[in-house]
């Protein structure tokens, strides 16, 4: 057997031995085709013994030779495919229901798909095998047939092939339509994400124009899902940026406690005032917070409310006072005074909107670091 004629069994990463072909055999053997390759977590269709391969070859020959066939499948272009009702009925409950109506020779018409796709589909019902080149050419037709005749193994394989190998910009719109019509939700989601990444190219394709004329409700569903996905991505980005702001506020609160408790240790390499046992400050926020605090203590405009830097510093001090657990012993300026003021105002106006905004801000800042136990800010008095 040549190396190019390689059989891929259903069991992942395991190649099964193939018996030599029979003498004077004119029909293609099983080794010329690939068996349905499923992922490891899906049920396998091929056995491990050589006898199963021989049984598959026998079924394959039975289909090719049409020995005692009692079913005629009429396709487009007046092509007739001969098959056996017992095998089709076992593989498909739809066929079984059709054959119950009569016991004589059966005639079935399958139109709307290429005759070769019908032949590949029927052969799969016999041996559960296919050729990869044929799968790539007729995967959409095979997906429709497997859904219409309730053959879940082939349907799963078509979805797998489209998801991992065959999905591209030219067929993504057609695949999405079939995913909706053939009840393949996972494949539909993958197509939505594919279209979202290249919406301009997908919306100008011939498949999109055909979908607009044939299935406008599917186009509406796709646009709605794309709009929702775009909104979800924007909302996700907004929450990431919001969390970043809350994290910066929390680090500023830590740096404020560190400045007032220990004094800021310079981090500039040109400012050599460290003692022998001292280490550079680990708080990055100290670089901008310490000058701002010094300005707040000496500014003359803050009394009249005309300094923007002082307003910013006062907001940070008020945020700290609302977080601090022990304002009586805290060394941060105005901590106790500000806490007493907002508690007094809170008793007067229980439904104050500004107070509600402060409470929400404090809760989100504290959640950013997932603090457990006593807050870090109680160490300001130690």
């Amino acid at each position: 057997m040549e190396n190019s004629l390689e059989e891929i069994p259903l069991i992942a990463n395991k190649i099964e031995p193939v018996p030599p072909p029979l003498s004077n055999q004119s029909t293609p053997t099983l080794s010329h085709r690939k068996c349905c390759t499923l992922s490891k977590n899906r049920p396998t269709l091929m056995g491990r013994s050589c006898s199963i391969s021989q049984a598959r070859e026998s079924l394959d020959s039975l289909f090719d030779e049409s020995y005692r066939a009692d079913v005629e499948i009429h396709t487009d272009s007046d092509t007739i495919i001969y098959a056996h009702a017992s095998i089709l009925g076992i593989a498909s409950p739809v066929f079984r229901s059709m054959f119950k109506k009569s016991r004589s020779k059966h005639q079935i018409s399958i139109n709307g798909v290429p005759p070769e796709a019908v032949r590949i589909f029927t052969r799969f019902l016999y041996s559960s095998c296919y050729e990869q080149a044929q799968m790539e050419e007729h995967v959409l037709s095979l997906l429709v047939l497997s859904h219409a005749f309730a053959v879940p193994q082939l349907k799963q394989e078509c979805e797998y092939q489209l998801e991992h190998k065959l999905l591209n910009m030219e067929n993504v719109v057609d695949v999405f339509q079939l995913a909706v019509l053939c009840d393949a939700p996972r494949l539909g989601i993958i197509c939505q994400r594919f279209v979202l990444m290249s919406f301009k190219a997908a919306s100008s394709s011939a498949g999109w124009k055909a979908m607009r004329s044939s299935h406008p409700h599917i186009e509406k569903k796709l646009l709605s899902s794309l709009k929702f996905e775009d909104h979800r991505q924007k909302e996700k980005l907004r929450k990431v940026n919001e969390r970043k702001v809350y994290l910066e506020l929390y680090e500023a609160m830590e740096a404020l406690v560190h400045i007032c408790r220990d004094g800021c240790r310079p981090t500039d390499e040109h400012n050599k005032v460290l003692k022998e046992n001292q280490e550079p400050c680990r708080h990055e926020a100290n670089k901008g917070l310490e000058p701002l605090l010094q300005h707040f203590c000496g500014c003359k405009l803050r009394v009249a409310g005309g300094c923007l830097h002082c307003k910013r510093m006062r907001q940070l001090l008020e945020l700290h006072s609302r977080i601090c657990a022990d304002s009586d012993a805290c060394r941060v300026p105005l901590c106790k005074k500000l806490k007493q003021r907002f508690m007094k105002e809170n008793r007067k106006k229980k439904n104050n909107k500004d107070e509600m905004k402060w409470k929400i801000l404090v809760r989100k800042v504290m959640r950013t670091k997932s603090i457990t136990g006593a807050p870090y800010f109680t160490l300001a008095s130690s």
Side-chain angles (χ1 to χ4, degrees):
M1 192 65 64
E2 296 179 0
N3 295 332
S4 60
L5 305 179
E6 180 182 2
E7 178 185 353
I8 301 179
L10 287 173
I11 301 177
N13 299 328
K14 183 176 178 62
I15 299 179
E16 147 182 346
V18 179
L22 299 176
S23 59
N24 299 327
Q25 187 174 2
S26 59
T27 59
T29 61
L30 185 66
S31 59
H32 290 265
R33 302 195 315 278
K34 297 182 179 180
C35 290
C36 177
T37 306
L38 303 179
S39 59
K40 293 182 179 179
N41 57 349
R42 288 194 284 170
T44 57
L45 301 176
M46 173 171 283
R48 294 179 174 81
S49 63
C50 183
S51 60
I52 295 181
S53 294
Q54 295 175 353
R56 288 180 182 276
E57 290 185 9
S58 300
L59 290 173
D60 192 62
S61 300
L62 182 64
F63 172 75
D64 291 331
E65 297 175 3
S66 302
Y67 177 71
R68 288 192 176 184
D70 55 353
V71 178
E72 292 182 359
I73 303 177
H74 295 263
T75 64
D76 295 341
S77 303
D78 298 329
T79 303
I80 300 177
I81 300 174
Y82 297 95
H84 301 81
S86 57
I87 295 179
L88 299 187
I90 292 175
S92 169
V94 178
F95 279 126
R96 186 185 313 166
S97 178
M98 296 169 64
F99 297 151
K100 284 182 180 180
K101 298 179 181 180
S102 62
R103 296 184 178 180
S104 60
K105 213 165 186 179
H106 309 281
Q107 290 186 357
I108 302 173
S109 295
I110 301 178
N111 301 317
V113 293
E116 184 62 22
V118 180
R119 181 177 295 276
I120 298 170
F121 169 73
T122 309
R123 184 184 292 276
F124 185 89
L125 300 182
Y126 278 76
S127 59
S128 298
C129 294
Y130 61 87
E131 293 182 9
Q132 182 62 31
Q134 294 177 339
M135 170 64 74
E136 294 176 0
E137 183 179 358
H138 300 286
V139 61
L140 299 183
S141 299
L142 292 175
L143 177 62
V144 174
L145 291 172
S146 62
H147 174 74
F149 291 96
V151 184
Q153 294 88 351
L154 181 58
K155 184 178 180 180
Q156 291 175 7
E157 184 61 23
C158 292
E159 294 178 13
Y160 180 84
Q161 291 283 336
L162 286 169
E163 178 181 347
H164 295 89
K165 299 179 182 180
L166 306 179
L167 191 65
N168 52 55
M169 186 55 64
E170 296 179 359
N171 64 8
V172 62
V173 178
D174 296 331
V175 174
F176 176 76
Q177 294 181 74
L178 292 181
V180 175
L181 298 174
C182 298
D183 190 22
R186 174 182 171 85
L187 184 60
I189 294 175
I190 293 173
C191 293
Q192 290 177 15
R193 294 176 179 175
F194 196 97
V195 173
L196 182 62
M197 291 187 295
S198 304
F199 177 75
K200 186 176 181 180
S203 59
S204 60
S205 63
W208 190 286
K209 297 178 182 179
M211 177 181 64
R212 182 177 299 168
S213 59
S214 60
H215 299 93
H217 65 284
I218 296 182
E219 181 193 19
K220 184 177 179 180
K221 181 177 180 179
L222 179 57
L223 291 175
S224 177
S225 62
L226 294 178
K227 184 178 179 180
F228 173 78
E229 183 67 19
D230 183 59
H231 175 73
R232 191 181 69 86
Q233 293 293 338
K234 291 181 179 179
E235 185 68 16
K236 182 179 179 180
L237 181 61
R238 184 190 66 81
K239 290 183 179 180
V240 169
N241 294 332
E242 185 181 70
R243 179 179 173 84
K244 183 178 179 180
V245 172
Y246 294 144
L247 181 61
E248 291 176 353
L249 286 174
Y250 184 89
E251 292 175 351
M253 295 298 100
E254 285 187 328
L256 183 62
V257 171
H258 172 65
I259 292 172
C260 299
R261 184 189 62 185
D262 303 325
C264 181
R265 298 169 182 174
T267 58
D268 190 0
E269 295 181 357
H270 300 285
N271 193 356
K272 303 294 184 178
V273 297
L274 297 178
K275 297 180 181 180
E276 294 181 357
N277 297 330
Q278 281 184 330
E279 296 180 357
C281 180
R282 295 177 300 174
H283 297 277
E284 293 292 333
N286 281 7
K287 296 179 180 180
L289 189 59
E290 186 185 15
L292 188 62
L293 183 60
Q294 293 177 355
H295 170 82
F296 178 79
C297 295
C299 182
K300 297 180 180 181
L301 295 177
R302 69 183 176 89
V303 179
C307 182
L308 296 177
H309 298 290
C310 294
K311 288 182 180 180
R312 181 185 175 190
M313 189 66 222
R314 186 176 181 86
Q315 290 175 347
L316 292 176
L317 292 175
E318 185 167 356
L319 178 60
H320 164 81
S321 65
R322 293 173 181 272
I323 296 177
C324 184
D326 190 3
S327 298
D328 294 331
C330 183
R331 299 180 182 180
V332 176
L334 302 179
C335 180
K336 182 177 180 180
K337 183 178 179 180
L338 291 174
K339 184 180 284 291
Q340 291 176 351
R341 183 182 63 80
F342 77 74
M343 291 181 64
K344 184 178 179 181
E345 292 179 355
N346 191 24
R347 285 194 294 266
K348 291 181 180 180
K349 300 179 181 180
K350 295 184 179 180
N351 296 326
N352 191 355
K353 293 184 179 180
D354 292 337
E355 185 63 27
M356 292 298 297
K357 291 180 180 179
W358 275 109
K359 288 182 179 180
I360 294 174
L361 178 61
V362 169
R363 183 167 62 251
K364 290 186 176 181
V365 170
M366 298 299 289
R367 283 180 179 177
T368 302
K369 280 289 189 175
S370 301
I371 301 174
T372 57
Y376 174 83
F377 307 107
T378 56
L379 301 178
S381 60
S382 59

